[in-house]
Amino acid sequence: MQKLSGKTCIVTGAARGIGAAIARSFHDEGARVILTDINDEEGQVQAQTMGADYMHLDVSSESDWESVALKFPAIDVLVNNAGVTGFEEGVRAHDPENASLADWRAVHAVNLDGTFLGCRYAIAAMRREGTGSIINISSRSGMVGIPGAAAYASSKAAIRNHSKSVALYCAQQGLDIRCNSIHPAAIMTPMWEPMLGEGDARDANIAALVKDTPMQRFGEAEEVAALAVLLASDDARYMTGAELTIDGGLLAGSAASPG
């Protein structure tokens, strides 16, 4: 039996990477899926390949969320996946000493404000039935400091905490609306391609990037999607305010034998 049959699910940042994998997995489990993104061309292609719906959505825009609410006033699942690192337009300072306020705010506008607006919309859209699942994609970087990507780490840490606030608020309101967060580490998505290179250099770069990961590999987007399916389904109906880490054992410590 398909785990998400009859559910209407919105996934943000679904044009590629983790968002696209989650959308595909939801569709395969019988959900009606609405993909959203600012990358309309790739998002529409993804939607067409699975027979799903697509809608333009800049998650940092309140008016865009209002448009989503008008078109989809009732949903069962929202995945707040859309996010940026701050390096999309090239290398720039994102450390605590040299990052500009504008760059700091730009990352938080998408990652944190986008999640806040998404959660606010989802609560209203799910309140009609009194039930639903909100899944926020945080990061391993939301649990540890990242000196060279301070805004990204800060925004993901805030998502981690806001997910708990949303979970408690919904429970306080007597709503069966669950809110949980997923914390991936290095997941093989197009975001990594510029850093990996080609040929022998690619293999060496991959090895260097995962050398501190106990499982010695990148995660796959489909592995993150499997967790999202769990949280979206009724199998996780007693889970709220939880955080699921998928990092190949990175936060568990070192796999090296003691000296």
Side-chain angles (χ1 to χ4, degrees), residues 62 65-66 115-125 134 162 166:
E62 188 167 16
W65 277 109
E66 289 169 352
T115 297
F116 159 72
L117 290 168
C119 289
R120 193 178 71 181
Y121 154 72
I123 293 169
I134 302 169
H162 189 61
V166 171

Side-chain angles (χ1 to χ4, degrees), residues 83-113:
V84 296
T85 62
F87 300 105
E88 285 75 15
E89 296 180 3
V91 177
R92 61 184 67 195
H94 268 286
D95 62 84
E97 181 179 11
N98 299 296
S100 72
L101 182 58
D103 285 344
W104 171 272
R105 286 176 171 169
V107 171
H108 282 81
V110 176
N111 296 358
L112 182 54
D113 295 355

Side-chain angles (χ1 to χ4, degrees), residues 27-225:
H27 178 266
D28 291 345
E29 290 293 342
R32 178 196 178 188
V33 185
I34 300 98
L35 291 76
T36 72
D37 209 294
I38 59 172
N39 185 341
D40 295 328
E41 185 175 350
E42 288 192 47
Q44 288 168 351
V45 169
Q46 289 285 354
Q48 289 169 2
T49 60
M50 64 184 78
D53 297 306
Y54 176 80
M55 185 171 184
H56 177 89
L57 173 62
D58 174 353
V59 296
S60 67
S61 167
E62 188 167 16
S63 62
D64 276 15
W65 277 109
E66 289 169 352
S67 296
V68 172
L70 285 172
K71 190 167 185 178
F72 302 103
I75 61 168
D76 300 291
V77 179
L78 172 67
V79 181
N80 284 310
N81 167 74
V84 296
T85 62
F87 300 105
E88 285 75 15
E89 296 180 3
V91 177
R92 61 184 67 195
H94 268 286
D95 62 84
E97 181 179 11
N98 299 296
S100 72
L101 182 58
D103 285 344
W104 171 272
R105 286 176 171 169
V107 171
H108 282 81
V110 176
N111 296 358
L112 182 54
D113 295 355
T115 297
F116 159 72
L117 290 168
C119 289
R120 193 178 71 181
Y121 154 72
I123 293 169
M126 296 171 183
R127 183 181 282 276
R128 300 164 189 267
E129 297 296 328
T131 185
S133 175
I134 302 169
I135 303 166
N136 294 329
I137 306 299
S138 179
S139 170
R140 170 255 182 186
S141 300
M143 296 182 166
V144 297
I146 307 294
Y152 179 77
S154 170
S155 67
K156 291 297 187 178
I159 290 170
R160 176 192 186 192
N161 191 268
H162 189 61
S163 300
K164 298 176 187 297
S165 295
V166 171
L168 294 174
Y169 173 81
C170 291
Q172 185 183 61
Q173 294 282 306
L175 299 169
D176 189 21
I177 298 173
R178 301 176 290 108
C179 183
N180 298 285
S181 58
I182 298 177
H183 300 256
I187 305 298
M188 187 59 76
T189 64
M191 179 185 74
W192 287 95
E193 289 302 325
M195 291 173 272
L196 298 182
E198 299 177 357
D200 293 339
R202 180 183 177 88
D203 293 339
N205 288 334
I206 289 175
L209 286 165
V210 300
K211 66 181 178 63
D212 294 327
T213 301
M215 293 186 73
Q216 293 288 293
R217 70 172 177 88
F218 274 81
E220 299 293 336
E222 290 73 19
E223 293 171 316
V224 181

